Amino acid sequence: VFYIAHMALEQPKSESTPVRVVFNASQCYKGVSLNSCLAKGPDRYNTSLLGMLIRWREFLICIIGDIRKMYNSVHLEPLEQHVHRFLWRDCEDRPPDTYVMTRVSLGDKPSGTIAIVAKNETAKRFAHIDPAAAETLTTQAYVDDVMDSLMTWLEARLRVDKCNQIAGMGSFVFKGWSFGGEGVPVEFLKDVLQRVLGVMYAAKLDAISFPPKLNFSPKRRKVPTGPDLTIEEIPHGIPTDSLSRRICLSQVMSIYDPLGFLSPVTLTAKQLLRESWQDAKLWDDVLSPSLQCSWTDFFCSLFEVGEFSYRRSLTPSNADGPPVLVICSDGSMDA
C-alpha cells in the first residue's frame, strides 16, 4: 500500500505551464515509497545538451517546439495504475472515492525514461513518413523540448509539419512552434526572450544573450526568497562585508554557459575561487577586504556581459562550400 499525494508545482519561468500537477511518488508509508520500488532507467536516452545546442546553431533558420503534457501522453499498464491509486472527496462528510492515474505522472522516478522511450519508438516506427523529421524527434529532443536548424524557411515549415504528423501517431501533441533566423516572416517571430535549454534567445535578433543573475537573499528549499539584483542595485546590493567562499561559489555556479561564450568571465571567477580557498579556512569565513573588492568587481562585470549578444547561426547567408573548424589554444600559469 502506498500513500501518494498530489501537489501543485509552480514554475513561474514557464510560459506555457506555470503550474503543474505532481504525483508525489516519494511519499513514504512505513518506510517505503513507490519510487523506492522503481528503477530510474538508463541515462543513455538523454540527448547531449551541448550537441543539441550546436546543431541548433548550425544553419540559418531555427525551430523550437515543446510537447504538451509529454508524460501524460503515455498510458500506464493496469498493474501500474493500481499503484497509482488515490482517494478524493470535496470536503463532504462521506467516505472518499478511489481513483487511479492512467497515464505516466510527473514525480515517478522512471517517468522521464518511459516518456522518452515512447517518443523515440514512435519516431522509429513512423520514420517512413519523413526520416529527417524522425531524426529530429530523437536526436534533437531533450525530454519534451525539440529544436533544430535548417537552411531555408520552406524546409523549416516542412520539418515542423512532419514532426507534428509523426509525433501525433503516438498521441504526442506540440503546444506550438517558434522560429528564428534569416528569412522567417516577422509574424512568426516572438517579441520576448525565450529560454532554449536554459539559454536566452531573442528570435527577432536571432541572438543569444546572458542576462545577469545575482541573488544574495536567503534560500528556502534551495530557492532564493528575494528577487534578483538589478543594475540599479549594483554595487551597493552586494553584501561585501559578509562575502564567503560558500556565497561566492553559489553565485558562480548559477552562471549557465553550456556553449562556453562566457569562458573569459568564468575563468576570472575560477581564479578568484582559488584565491578564496587560500584566504579562508572554512566555507563561511568572511573573505579579506581585498578579495571582497575583487569579487564585487567581478559581480559588477556580469552586468556588462549582459549587454552583449551573440549570433545564433554559425552559417553566414553567403556561405560557399563546407565549413572549416579552426581551433586556437594557449596555456599559462594564469590561464
Side-chain angles (χ1 to χ4, degrees):
V1 177
F2 299 107
Y3 282 88
I4 306 177
H6 281 76
M7 64 178 69
L9 176 65
E10 295 186 7
Q11 293 183 306
K13 295 180 180 179
S14 175
E15 296 180 19
S16 57
T17 317
V19 178
R20 297 172 185 252
V21 176
V22 180
F23 210 58
N24 187 9
S26 296
Q27 179 69 45
C28 288
Y29 174 70
K30 294 185 177 180
V32 180
S33 69
L34 175 61
N35 274 346
S36 67
C37 302
L38 297 174
K40 176 179 175 291
D43 291 330
R44 67 184 181 89
Y45 292 109
N46 290 323
T47 313
S48 164
L49 288 176
L50 178 58
M52 283 185 62
L53 286 168
I54 291 175
R55 290 188 289 273
W56 175 65
R57 298 186 63 209
E58 188 172 3
F59 297 118
L60 291 178
I61 294 177
C62 68
I63 59 175
I64 305 163
D66 187 5
I67 299 175
R68 177 187 291 119
K69 298 179 181 178
M70 181 173 175
Y71 292 179
N72 297 151
S73 299
V74 183
H75 289 263
L76 285 174
E77 293 288 342
L79 180 63
E80 276 71 38
Q81 293 179 17
H82 286 298
V83 293
H84 287 81
R85 292 182 182 180
F86 62 95
L87 305 178
W88 183 266
R89 62 182 174 186
D90 193 15
C91 298
E92 305 109 340
D93 185 14
R94 64 175 181 81
D97 298 317
T98 302
Y99 292 90
V100 298
M101 296 292 293
T102 61
R103 306 295 182 95
V104 173
S105 304
L106 182 63
D108 292 358
K109 187 188 294 186
S111 59
T113 299
I114 292 172
I116 292 171
V117 170
K119 181 261 299 173
N120 289 352
E121 185 62 28
T122 299
K124 178 181 177 182
R125 187 171 298 183
F126 299 99
H128 61 273
I129 296 175
D130 189 299
E135 185 176 1
T136 292
L137 290 172
T138 52
T139 63
Q140 283 300 104
Y142 191 84
V143 191
D144 58 351
D145 294 314
V146 179
M147 50 196 281
D148 208 344
S149 65
L150 303 102
M151 278 301 291
T152 68
W153 170 238
L154 182 61
E155 287 178 308
R157 288 303 304 271
L158 181 62
R159 181 65 53 84
V160 164
D161 291 341
K162 294 301 181 181
C163 283
N164 285 336
Q165 184 179 353
I166 293 175
M169 302 301 290
S171 298
F172 294 105
V173 179
F174 282 89
K175 299 174 185 176
W177 292 85
S178 53
F179 304 85
E182 187 175 329
V184 178
V186 178
E187 59 268 24
F188 288 92
L189 299 175
K190 286 190 174 182
D191 291 324
V192 297
L193 277 177
Q194 297 173 253
R195 189 178 294 274
V196 182
L197 295 186
V199 175
M200 302 308 296
Y201 173 65
K204 287 201 168 183
L205 300 174
D206 195 27
I208 297 168
S209 61
F210 296 88
K213 181 183 177 183
L214 278 179
N215 197 315
F216 295 94
S217 63
K219 292 185 178 181
R220 183 172 178 267
R221 295 181 180 178
K222 299 182 180 181
V223 178
T225 54
D228 294 342
L229 294 183
T230 63
I231 192 169
E232 291 78 15
E233 298 172 308
I234 295 297
H236 63 271
I238 301 174
T240 53
D241 57 344
S242 60
L243 287 179
S244 63
R245 282 169 51 192
R246 187 188 305 275
I247 292 175
C248 294
L249 179 61
S250 175
Q251 300 303 318
V252 172
M253 294 302 293
S254 68
I255 301 174
Y256 182 69
D257 178 34
L259 290 166
F261 283 122
L262 305 185
S263 293
V265 179
T266 54
L267 178 59
T268 300
K270 293 174 183 177
Q271 292 173 326
L272 287 174
L273 284 171
R274 182 176 63 183
E275 296 178 27
S276 300
W277 290 329
Q278 297 169 347
D279 182 82
K281 294 182 179 180
L282 302 177
W283 278 102
D284 296 309
D285 286 351
V286 177
L287 299 175
S288 63
S290 60
L291 264 179
Q292 289 179 13
C293 291
S294 298
W295 275 112
T296 300
D297 292 340
F298 168 76
F299 292 139
C300 291
S301 71
L302 295 179
F303 285 82
E304 298 177 29
V305 172
E307 298 177 0
F308 289 90
S309 61
Y310 306 85
R311 176 184 168 90
R312 177 202 56 83
S313 176
L314 295 171
T315 302
S317 58
N318 59 347
D320 183 23
V324 176
L325 178 64
V326 180
I327 299 176
C328 301
S329 64
D330 190 15
S332 69
M333 293 302 293
D334 295 323

